Amino acid sequence: MTQAKAYCVEHSKTITLDEAHELYFAQPPGDRKRFKFQCGDSLCRAQARPTVIAALYDRLTPAEGGETKYRSPYFQRHRDHEHVVGCTWREQGESEGPADSVPEYKP
């Protein structure tokens, strides 16, 4: 399942990959550090705090002088971090598993 946004721990907000790219390159060249991401679903993040992988946002695009062989950035679920039932990051029809042991959030 492709996701358009994830929660960036360092910036304390949900951002897109384009925003992650801009924020990454806004850092001083010698001090650039990759960001940590969590699930973009606020209820899931509050309960399970699952890590999300953000790949390739820290590379220059061909238009910016990067490699001509270019692959688009993407978010991906971390296989060891489960999401709660009802989270937008869970696959539709996903089998019951460890994520179901996390109680459903009820405000």
Side-chain angles (χ1 to χ4, degrees):
M1 173 181 292
T2 302
Q3 293 289 334
K5 295 183 177 185
Y7 182 81
C8 180
V9 175
E10 289 79 1
H11 291 281
S12 303
K13 64 181 181 177
T14 300
I15 63 175
T16 65
L17 286 161
D18 287 339
E19 291 169 316
H21 179 82
E22 290 174 19
L23 291 167
Y24 178 80
F25 284 102
Q27 299 176 94
D31 296 327
R32 288 184 182 142
K33 293 182 182 165
R34 289 178 49 82
F35 304 132
K36 294 180 185 109
F37 290 92
Q38 293 182 337
C39 180
D41 183 302
S42 60
L43 299 179
C44 182
R45 190 172 59 252
Q47 291 181 23
R49 300 178 67 196
T51 296
V52 169
I53 297 166
L56 308 175
Y57 70 89
D58 58 341
R59 307 237 171 106
L60 292 172
T61 66
E64 297 168 324
E67 296 180 26
T68 55
K69 186 176 180 182
Y70 179 74
R71 184 170 174 207
S72 296
Y74 60 93
F75 286 123
Q76 179 178 327
R77 285 175 50 168
H78 190 289
R79 69 172 183 228
D80 295 333
H81 293 256
E82 296 291 335
H83 296 260
V84 298
V85 175
C87 175
T88 58
W89 282 75
R90 283 183 64 117
E91 299 287 337
Q92 197 163 28
E94 187 174 329
S95 63
E96 302 285 316
D100 299 320
S101 64
V102 179
E104 189 171 336
Y105 178 77
K106 294 183 180 173

